[in-house]
Amino acid sequence: MHREVRSTIPPHVEYRLTEAGAELVPHLLGLIDFVEGRMPAVRAARAAADLVRPPR
């Protein structure tokens, strides 16, 4: 991430991805898809565990 601060009134900051950041995006999207795809199973497992031991 590249951050550029401009000394203006009001203050202004611009952000943009570096080349490495842009290269990382598809990997992060894959991870997000992986996690989101498994959330129903995670929620079901939590619900089953809560039946055995209710949350505090």
Side-chain angles (χ1 to χ4, degrees), residues 20-44:
E23 189 178 328
L24 180 62
V25 169
H27 301 285
L28 289 176
L29 292 175
L31 178 60
I32 290 166
D33 287 343
F34 174 85
V35 171
E36 286 180 342
R38 278 140 186 90
M39 283 311 296
V42 170
R43 288 189 181 108

Side-chain angles (χ1 to χ4, degrees), residues 1 5-7 9 12 14-15 17 20 22-23 27-29 39 41 44 46-48 52:
M1 180 66 64
V5 178
R6 298 192 179 183
S7 298
I9 299 175
H12 181 79
E14 291 184 10
Y15 296 92
L17 287 177
E23 189 178 328
H27 301 285
L28 289 176
L29 292 175
M39 283 311 296
R46 282 185 179 175
V52 176

